[in-house]
Amino acid sequence: MGMILWQMAALLGTPDAVARSARPNVLIVVVDDAGYSDFGAYGGDARTPVIDGLARRGTKFARFYASPQCGPSRAMLLTGSDNHEVGIGTINETMTSSLARLPGYTMKLDDGALTLAERLRSAGYQTFATGKWGIGKPGSSLPEKHGFDRSHVLDASGADNWEQKPYIPLYHTAPWYENGEPITLPEDFYSSEYIIDKTIEMIDDADPNRPFFAHVGFQAVHVPVQVSREYAQRYDGQFDRGWDVMRRERAERVQRLGLVPEGMPVADVFDDARRWNSLSRGQKDRYAAMMEVYAGMIESMDHELGRLLAHLERKGERDNTLVIVVSDNGPEYNELPVNHANGDPNVPVMERLGERGSSASIGPEWATVSAAPLSLFKFNSAEGGTRVPMVIAGPGVPPTGLTRARAHMIDVVPTVLDLAGVPVVRAPSGAPQVRGRSLVPALTGAAREVRGPDDAVGLEVAGNAALFRGPYKLVKLTPPHGDGAWRLYDISQDPGETRDLSDEKPELKQSMIQEYAAYSAEVGVADLPASYNPVTQIYKNSFWKHPVRAVPYFSAIIWEYHRGQVFLGLFAAVVLVISVLIARARLRADA
């Protein structure tokens, strides 16, 4: 009854709810794991003319924040609420049995959480979802349960881009669904192309007299890094200078573009980062080839987005379509075993890397390039894990090119509703409400900031936490790249998080710690032990579910990235078998 009354109120509040001329189309494009400076408009090496063009005719955000993991970010984007409030406290891969007992960690999108699709549908929109969904447990929170008329989605954190198979041993297959029913992918599948084909199909089948909302989730550039040779070879030799040199170059370009303060201190690399010149010739060739595939995968994704926009142009709809392009978190740093194309070890890896049957990832050092000049990468609440590219263009968005106003994923819902002329009606009593704020004043120049200097925004996923207030950021990182201690930074001048202000501003730090505690209690953040490591938890969960596949899989990772030493390979196998037994024992104890 509450939902029915809410829908009636929404429609009564918008008498022209289905009037085509009064509503722009809405297209939200979620890129998977793109680093802060991966797009051309942000100083990246990949060619992204379509995204760059959107930035020129609209606005790119210099300070836009997601969460450090995909599912929580996507839940916030669609609801405008904190991820814990809607049951997506983390991702499935990092869950423990004790977390699963808590309301903020059900891994099922709260039934009472009104999504952007539900709000727009009540205002007369047709609603579509394609590509990666990845919110909660696979199959638990599919789009048609949350306001989407049609959907064709991958409901997992990632998958192969050429075939219907998983990328880690947690899954037996890649769970694709069409309108809630499991499907089998075609033989000629490639993720970016296929996702746009399905989006175009839905738009073409839509009622031309009503606006549409399309949520498009690319798999690019989540691991495994894969793209056709046609795209990868466009970057042949471009990354041969290595990550040390190219990180400095990337940082300089980002500064010249005005995205960060000129002359800011560039973040230090993590403690055990390898120097490029310490690698063998073969290792350099392999890592350069991985980045060629990565850049090609981004360019391919951009091309497919351009194909969609060109289709809208031919239909006379592009000028009336609001487009948002955003990444769900910082770049992936975890490494996969390198597989040769079609499993043939005689095929040189640099020649066939990225093609069908191959698997690779860029690793942590290249991830610091993707996030440059920020610190760290995905899974961490550091700037490199949470500050992401975000571009918006279309009706109501003037071509300002750049805004330095700080904004967050929870702000997408109220912004879209504002630009669409749809009121932010309160959800039924007891349901999660919209926490975000409209970005329209910042977009139009009516305001320099989205929030006042005393308005705080909290963030937490898998123990990695942050609180933003004015120019300051309170941040806590878990192992392996943090120690669980709170630190304080002025990210307006030091987005590289190089200078901890804890000793200089102890009172400010303490007040922000207290404010974080209030936020944590309000939304239901779990207290995790200081030793909790989300990456280790992924290994444990993999061993528990599929020990036969997990042991050789993770042994291969250790083998691959420790120069193939026989002793290390055997040692890894023994350690991982023991880890299986320990993980099983602990999970039984937790239960």
Side-chain angles (χ1 to χ4, degrees):
M1 178 63 73
M3 180 65 72
I4 294 173
L5 292 174
W6 175 84
Q7 290 174 334
M8 291 176 62
L11 289 171
L12 290 171
T14 56
D16 59 342
V18 295
R20 181 67 183 87
S21 61
R23 304 287 188 224
N25 301 313
V26 177
L27 172 62
I28 295 181
V29 178
V30 184
V31 183
D32 205 350
D33 292 358
Y36 180 69
S37 56
D38 268 338
F39 301 155
Y42 282 79
D45 296 281
R47 300 177 188 91
T48 54
V50 176
I51 294 174
D52 300 352
L54 290 169
R56 285 192 298 272
R57 70 180 185 93
T59 298
K60 61 183 175 184
F61 277 75
R63 296 191 295 156
F64 188 87
Y65 289 90
S67 90
Q69 293 181 2
C70 59
S73 290
R74 292 160 191 266
M76 289 190 284
L77 181 149
L78 282 167
T79 65
S81 305
D82 186 83
N83 55 298
H84 303 85
E85 293 177 301
V86 296
I88 313 296
T90 184
I91 58 175
N92 295 311
E93 291 83 352
T94 61
M95 281 287 290
T96 67
S97 57
S98 57
L99 283 178
R101 302 189 188 102
L102 302 176
Y105 300 83
T106 63
M107 305 314 294
K108 178 181 180 295
L109 193 62
D110 192 309
D111 291 335
L114 293 174
T115 66
L116 181 58
E118 289 171 297
R119 293 176 181 276
L120 289 175
R121 188 162 70 175
S122 292
Y125 276 75
Q126 303 162 93
T127 54
F128 314 128
T130 57
K132 176 175 167 176
W133 183 249
I135 299 175
K137 297 175 184 176
S140 70
S141 308
L142 291 170
E144 75 282 351
K145 300 177 182 178
H146 295 280
F148 287 90
D149 299 323
R150 294 182 64 184
S151 65
H152 201 106
V153 298
L154 166 69
D155 198 20
S157 61
D160 194 273
N161 294 279
W162 294 109
E163 303 173 77
Q164 192 164 359
K165 64 182 185 181
Y167 73 104
I168 57 175
L170 269 172
Y171 308 103
H172 289 291
T173 187
W176 279 84
Y177 296 85
E178 182 173 22
N179 301 326
E181 297 297 325
I183 60 169
T184 301
L185 295 176
E187 287 295 321
D188 61 349
F189 169 80
Y190 177 70
S191 64
S192 294
E193 180 181 24
Y194 181 79
I195 289 163
I196 294 303
D197 283 346
K198 291 299 176 182
T199 306
I200 290 174
E201 178 184 306
M202 291 181 189
I203 291 171
D204 284 351
D205 290 344
D207 181 353
N209 297 311
R210 294 169 57 205
F212 68 80
F213 163 45
H215 177 282
V216 178
F218 282 109
Q219 288 180 235
V221 276
H222 193 284
V223 294
V225 178
Q226 295 169 316
V227 78
S228 69
R229 185 62 185 158
E230 173 192 356
Y231 278 101
Q233 66 186 4
R234 297 179 187 183
Y235 297 90
D236 186 28
Q238 186 163 328
F239 297 94
D240 290 353
R241 299 190 306 285
W243 46 61
D244 296 325
V245 170
M246 298 193 74
R247 186 166 183 271
R248 291 195 300 270
E249 294 175 347
R250 182 83 68 95
E252 290 168 1
R253 289 200 298 272
V254 173
Q255 292 181 55
R256 288 198 299 270
L257 288 168
L259 292 159
V260 295
E262 196 77 34
M264 63 157 276
V266 177
D268 295 331
V269 294
F270 54 98
D271 290 342
D272 57 348
R274 295 163 291 188
R275 292 295 179 185
W276 183 256
N277 287 334
S278 71
L279 304 182
S280 67
R281 180 71 264 168
Q283 288 175 314
K284 288 179 179 179
D285 289 344
R286 183 181 64 199
Y287 277 108
M290 291 179 191
M291 204 61 176
E292 290 167 13
V293 175
Y294 183 84
M297 194 175 184
I298 293 175
E299 183 177 347
S300 170
M301 176 272 299
D302 184 81
H303 168 78
E304 295 300 332
L305 173 58
R307 188 162 64 88
L308 173 58
L309 296 181
H311 187 76
L312 292 176
E313 182 83 42
R314 289 191 294 272
K315 294 175 70 72
E317 294 286 355
R318 179 164 180 174
D319 290 343
N320 193 42
T321 300
L322 177 70
V323 184
I324 295 174
V325 181
V326 66
S327 178
D328 61 351
N329 44 241
E332 176 62 79
Y333 77 96
N334 289 293
E335 295 180 293
L336 301 182
V338 176
N339 295 332
H340 295 71
N342 300 315
D344 184 355
N346 297 315
V347 176
V349 69
M350 281 76 74
E351 291 183 10
R352 302 297 299 276
L353 188 67
E355 296 187 21
R356 182 183 296 269
S358 71
S359 175
S361 52
I362 64 173
E365 289 85 5
W366 279 128
T368 66
V369 177
S370 292
L374 309 176
S375 56
L376 295 177
F377 23 65
K378 179 180 175 180
F379 278 87
N380 297 277
S381 51
E383 290 288 282
T386 56
R387 190 188 291 207
V388 298
M390 191 277 215
V391 171
I392 180 170
V397 182
T400 56
L402 174 67
T403 178
R404 295 179 180 84
R406 177 169 54 80
H408 297 262
M409 202 65 96
I410 55 175
D411 299 327
V412 171
V413 166
T415 301
V416 170
L417 295 178
D418 195 352
L419 290 168
V422 178
V424 184
V425 179
R426 284 185 60 83
S429 177
Q433 303 296 331
V434 171
R435 284 179 171 264
R437 299 187 181 182
S438 174
L439 304 177
V440 170
L443 291 169
T444 60
R448 290 175 59 88
E449 288 289 346
V450 178
R451 294 168 173 81
D454 297 324
D455 295 329
V457 177
L459 176 72
E460 191 276 344
V461 175
N464 282 274
L467 185 87
F468 301 85
R469 188 209 290 172
Y472 297 104
K473 177 184 177 185
L474 179 75
V475 63
K476 177 176 66 174
L477 307 178
T478 65
H481 295 103
D483 57 7
W486 287 110
R487 290 177 172 79
L488 179 66
Y489 300 101
D490 178 353
I491 53 173
S492 67
Q493 299 302 313
D494 180 25
E497 296 169 305
T498 64
R499 183 184 175 197
D500 182 7
L501 301 177
S502 296
D503 292 338
E504 296 178 37
K505 298 181 180 294
E507 293 181 1
L508 173 63
K509 179 180 179 180
Q510 189 57 40
S511 71
M512 291 183 70
I513 289 174
Q514 292 173 353
E515 193 155 15
Y516 174 83
Y519 151 78
S520 176
E522 181 181 2
V523 302
V525 174
D527 289 327
L528 294 169
S531 60
Y532 177 81
N533 181 330
V535 177
T536 301
Q537 192 62 43
I538 293 175
Y539 295 163
K540 290 179 180 179
N541 290 343
S542 296
F543 299 148
W544 173 249
K545 283 194 169 185
H546 304 292
V548 174
R549 285 190 290 160
V551 169
Y553 180 87
F554 291 113
S555 296
I557 293 177
I558 296 174
W559 174 280
E560 183 75 39
Y561 297 101
H562 287 278
R563 302 177 185 176
Q565 294 182 25
V566 174
F567 173 76
L568 279 174
L570 294 173
F571 178 75
V574 172
V575 168
L576 293 178
V577 169
I578 294 172
S579 298
V580 172
L581 301 176
I582 294 174
R584 284 176 179 255
R586 287 181 176 175
L587 286 168
R588 289 195 187 100
D590 288 341

